[in-house]
Amino acid sequence: STNKNRSHELGEDTKQVLVLAVGTARDMDNYFIDTGHLLIGLMKLDNPQITQILKFYHTDAQTIIAATESLMDERLDERLNDD
């Protein structure tokens, strides 16, 4: 059998990450969603596998979120200063 006729739908976790990424972009007064917003959305997702991976690397979601927000702020500052 082939999978050609099977629709490609997003899983619930993926949908939730997108919702969280949109919310993050809005909270940051951004009018676009980039990889930073997606990463923050992924970190906000309550997923035991993500938590396990982060623990393996001796970090946590809040640390990743804070670092990502800081980098995004720095990039914005650089763009504003270039004008």
Side-chain angles (χ1 to χ4, degrees):
S1 75
T2 65
N3 289 330
K4 286 185 178 182
N5 294 328
R6 181 182 278 186
S7 66
H8 297 290
E9 294 184 19
L10 297 176
E12 289 306 312
D13 280 353
T14 304
K15 290 178 186 176
Q16 187 62 31
V17 168
L18 293 173
V19 167
L20 292 166
V22 168
T24 298
R26 286 183 181 149
D27 291 346
M28 298 176 84
D29 291 327
N30 296 148
Y31 300 102
F32 57 89
I33 299 168
D34 71 9
T35 54
H37 299 110
L38 291 169
L39 179 57
I40 292 170
L42 190 61
M43 292 298 101
K44 289 181 176 179
L45 188 67
D46 185 22
N47 182 299
Q49 290 174 316
I50 294 170
T51 303
Q52 186 177 12
I53 291 167
L54 293 173
K55 283 183 181 178
F56 180 81
Y57 287 102
H58 308 289
T59 192
D60 59 28
Q62 283 310 116
T63 301
I64 301 296
I65 290 169
T68 304
E69 288 174 342
S70 177
L71 288 171
M72 292 173 75
D73 287 344
E74 286 177 22
R75 284 192 321 203
L76 179 61
D77 288 345
E78 287 172 4
R79 280 186 254 152
L80 292 175
N81 290 328
D82 286 344
D83 291 341

